[in-house]
Amino acid sequence: VPETGVNFQPGMPAVVMITEADFVTRYGEKTPLDRCVLAADIQRVLAKSPQRLAIDFDLSPMLGSNAIDEQCQLRLDSLLDEHSQKLTVLVPFATANRALLEKKHAWMGARCQAGLAFADGQLDTAMGMVTEHTVGEGADLKARIAEQMREGPSDHICKQVTTAGAYDANPWLNEQRRKMAAETDHPSVPLHFSHAITQLGVMPLHSDALDGVPTFEGSPVLLGGDWGRDDRFLTSAGEQPGAVVHGVRVVNLAYPVKLPSAWLALLMDM
């Protein structure tokens, strides 16, 4: 999908990628990503006035930060709060470290108070592949990245964070509680990757393709990463970054695959 060179049109969903070259040259291969550089990159996309910008990175603070890192985190937090009505941010990764757990929980509470929406970035996999996705009207499903890009922000996660009160009761920072929530049964439909290729604009952050887009007005945009192998999935269109899969889900929510009737499916199986 990233190599298809789709001619971007206004209103089309888009995925903007921080590439491996960016990770090496701009971020110095530093994990977590340098917050000052990341704030500048987020601002670069916001400058093109997306309808909504979803960010597929954990932006929460870490332990052991030095003074410069803390200042950069404050700069990033200020940007998130300033543009909270237009942003959706990936929920922080779960942790077993109690000190970090408390820090992440306090950070989530502050961002929720500022009006920021958090999103569940989980993708549906089977045998290591992404070929379908769950759909439905539940609040948990509406809180995922693609659904919020297409349908607008959800306060589902912030409500749970606020209700939890204490940091050790935050269900989104507890791995076991996350798994229990993910086991809820929902219907699944196939993902149509080949159709999404013509309906999704995928472009590197620092590229002529992005420079050539005068505005993202009317378009939901996802800012994600494409380096390493931690966030890549096997699909019917080859191996793809998780950010591209989220973009494909946005297209498929608008143009779902029409399933055959039960009798026709039985005939096809026979």
Side-chain angles (χ1 to χ4, degrees), residues 8 10-12 14 16 41-54 83 86-87 210 213-222:
F8 181 81
M12 180 185 290
V16 177
D41 284 344
I42 292 171
Q43 187 67 62
R44 177 178 169 82
V45 182
L46 284 171
K48 291 187 179 290
S49 304
Q51 179 188 55
R52 186 154 197 87
L53 175 61
H83 297 278
K86 186 170 277 194
L87 293 175
L210 181 62
V213 176
T215 178
F216 279 131
E217 190 171 353
S219 296
V221 180
L222 174 66

Side-chain angles (χ1 to χ4, degrees), residues 18-33 226-228:
I18 294 177
T19 64
E20 186 165 2
D22 293 325
F23 181 59
V24 173
T25 60
R26 286 181 58 75
Y27 290 92
E29 301 183 77
K30 179 183 176 182
T31 303
L33 297 177
D226 183 17
W227 68 84

